[in-house]
Amino acid sequence: MCQRKASFPVVSRSPQHEVIIIGGGLVGFVLALALEKYTGRKVPVYERSATMLPYVGAGLVLQQNGLKVLQNIDETLYEAILQASSAFTERTWERHDVTVVAVAPESNSRGIQRWRLQNLLYEAACRNEIKVHWGKELIKVVSQSSSEYVRVHFADGTQTTTSWLMASDGVKSKVRRTVAPDVEWHYSGWMSFMGISHVESSKLRMPSSLTTKCHATFFPTGDLKSCF
Ligand SMILES: Cc1cc2nc3c(=O)[nH]c(=O)nc-3n(C[C@H](O)[C@H](O)[C@H](O)COP(=O)(O)OP(=O)(O)OC[C@H]3O[C@@H](n4cnc5c(N)ncnc54)[C@H](O)[C@@H]3O)c2cc1C
């Protein structure tokens, strides 16, 4: 989130928007819904993708606190998430040869495919009349001391102005690069890949290899599928 002063000749004293959200991923939609619920503001969301795409991303585990937040924000959304996800009954820690090391009962945790969750959040945004602008990739934020707002430039050549810009444009955030240009990435040396398979399961499994130091996680995501 940043609030900056604009760096261009001021043509209008008031911005087009009081607040905007950049990025229509999981955080962007939850943020827009929460702002609507708790402040009554319908904050527009600007998303880079041209449209909502199915099958993007793998799976997520939603745990008790996160589910409670979603339920507080929108009961209809919460019910839809329960329908589209799978509950776990237990969590197991295993060796790579599937020997079980430990078992814990699991309650109120659910697995869901990422695109399904994003789609349900988008549908909730539409129900709440939150405007979503697709195909809007932020490329630049310009600010200067002579104004109380920032100007946001999109890749399609359009612009808008806002007093508050809330950034939820993901791990490679362009907004963050504007606000903190000196912050650099460092590769941690760890790598992970994820996918969805047609395997039914009712528990979250975490096999670990002592020899390779590789770890895996498997959990159900609804529709008789599992995330690995
Ligand atoms: C391997 C892995 C496993 C994970 N597992 C879990 C889990 O089990 N449970 C859990 O809660 N979390 C999990 N997470 C974390 C979770 O995925 C992230 O916290 C979450 O996706 C972050 O949401 P976000 O909206 O910030 O970013 P994203 O979901 O990445 O969304 C960012 C959005 O911004 C858009 N965007 C990007 N750049 C621009 C731009 N310049 N202009 C406009 N739009 C832009 C993108 O198109 C995208 O739609 C996992 C993450 C990883 C990597």
Side-chain angles (χ1 to χ4, degrees):
M1 184 175 72
C2 74
Q3 189 182 33
R4 284 259 181 120
K5 303 197 167 181
S7 65
F8 45 86
V10 178
V11 289
S12 161
R13 291 218 170 269
S14 50
Q16 284 164 275
H17 301 284
E18 185 188 11
V19 192
I20 66 170
I21 295 171
I22 300 297
L26 306 182
V27 170
F29 286 137
V30 171
L31 180 59
L33 290 165
L35 286 169
E36 210 284 327
K37 162 101 184 188
Y38 297 111
T39 73
R41 286 175 171 78
K42 293 191 190 299
V43 176
V45 176
Y46 290 81
E47 163 57 37
R48 176 177 60 184
S49 303
T51 182
M52 177 65 66
L53 296 169
Y55 310 115
V56 172
L60 285 165
V61 175
L62 293 169
Q63 289 178 316
Q64 203 165 1
N65 287 349
L67 284 165
K68 205 174 260 182
V69 168
L70 293 168
Q71 185 176 19
N72 286 341
I73 290 174
D74 187 328
E75 189 72 41
T76 309
L77 165 68
Y78 174 70
E79 291 299 330
I81 289 172
L82 295 190
Q83 290 292 319
S85 59
S86 273
F88 313 144
T89 50
E90 63 182 33
R91 178 182 292 240
T92 63
W93 287 263
E94 302 170 9
R95 294 275 174 252
H96 65 290
D97 62 359
V98 300
T99 312
V100 175
V101 179
V103 182
E106 187 81 23
S107 62
N108 297 327
S109 290
R110 306 190 73 91
I112 188 166
Q113 290 185 58
R114 184 191 175 281
W115 73 271
R116 280 197 191 284
L117 177 59
Q118 188 185 18
N119 202 41
L120 293 174
L121 293 168
Y122 171 53
E123 285 173 7
C126 293
R127 268 200 312 282
N128 285 279
E129 295 171 355
I130 291 164
K131 179 84 183 137
V132 180
H133 299 269
W134 297 100
K136 292 288 178 187
E137 179 182 1
L138 175 145
I139 50 167
K140 195 166 62 168
V141 183
V142 182
S143 60
Q144 196 188 316
S145 55
S146 57
S147 175
E148 290 299 321
Y149 54 82
V150 295
R151 184 172 292 267
V152 179
H153 295 251
F154 297 102
D156 64 1
T158 58
Q159 303 175 9
T160 193
T161 53
T162 183
S163 294
W164 285 88
L165 187 154
M166 306 191 94
S168 55
D169 52 340
V171 73
K172 294 179 182 167
S173 169
K174 277 202 176 134
V175 178
R176 188 181 55 234
R177 261 179 262 162
T178 300
V179 177
D182 301 334
V183 175
E184 286 181 16
W185 282 68
H186 298 283
Y187 178 48
S188 65
W190 291 92
M191 196 163 55
S192 134
F193 66 92
M194 294 180 82
I196 300 286
S197 64
H198 290 266
V199 176
E200 199 181 348
S201 164
S202 61
K203 57 187 169 187
L204 186 147
R205 296 177 47 226
M206 297 193 290
S208 247
S209 167
L210 280 179
T211 47
T212 64
K213 304 285 185 203
C214 289
H215 312 284
T217 305
F218 301 89
F219 58 89
T221 55
D223 288 350
L224 309 181
K225 293 190 174 79
S226 286
C227 180
F228 58 87

